[in-house]
Amino acid sequence: QVQLVESGGGSVQPGGSLRLSCVAAGSAFNLNTVRWYRQGPGKQRELVAAITRYGTTDYANSVKGRFTISRDTAKNTAYLQMNSLKAEDTADYYCNLRVFERDYWGQGTQVTVSS
């Protein structure tokens, strides 16, 4: 069983920064790819960033150069550092882990970028 808990969301002005955290319970966390998704108002959920168990990362084009995904295996935690935030980054952000073709999700954390 895997449990994921996100935190770190909030309200920020354009150009600001936030760091999201995803803490996992369960040994599968360090063995699988962690993904961050987001779902904006009236939009479909989209993949933002991913990091494999080996530390290889991948990003959506819309966030490349602004967001950084990382993980701390000792803490069973993944992070999403978000810089130069834009209004279009406003969304609920979710941490995801896929284990043996089954998806696990956290409850989400809300990010609002507004002046």
Side-chain angles (χ1 to χ4, degrees):
Q1 186 72 10
V2 177
Q3 291 182 319
L4 305 171
V5 178
E6 302 99 332
S7 63
S11 294
V12 64
Q13 292 186 340
S17 298
L18 285 172
R19 188 176 81 154
L20 307 183
S21 299
C22 171
V23 180
S27 59
F29 184 79
N30 290 332
L31 301 177
N32 293 275
T33 297
V34 177
R35 297 174 176 87
W36 283 97
Y37 285 79
R38 68 185 180 186
Q39 186 165 15
K43 298 180 181 180
Q44 290 188 331
R45 190 171 293 191
E46 63 173 347
L47 178 62
V48 176
I51 184 167
T52 70
R53 60 184 289 189
Y54 306 109
T56 303
T57 59
D58 195 17
Y59 299 91
N61 287 334
S62 59
V63 306
K64 278 181 181 177
R66 300 188 298 121
F67 290 12
T68 303
I69 189 171
S70 61
R71 67 194 302 171
D72 185 333
T73 54
K75 296 182 178 179
N76 258 28
T77 302
Y79 303 97
L80 185 67
Q81 177 67 44
M82 306 186 296
N83 298 328
S84 302
L85 282 162
K86 305 175 181 180
E88 50 263 45
D89 296 318
T90 295
D92 293 322
Y93 284 72
Y94 299 90
C95 181
N96 167 271
L97 194 71
R98 180 171 293 173
V99 182
F100 297 122
E101 305 303 319
R102 178 176 175 178
D103 281 311
Y104 294 88
W105 298 91
Q107 83 289 351
T109 185
Q110 188 174 60
V111 172
T112 302
V113 184
S114 174
S115 56

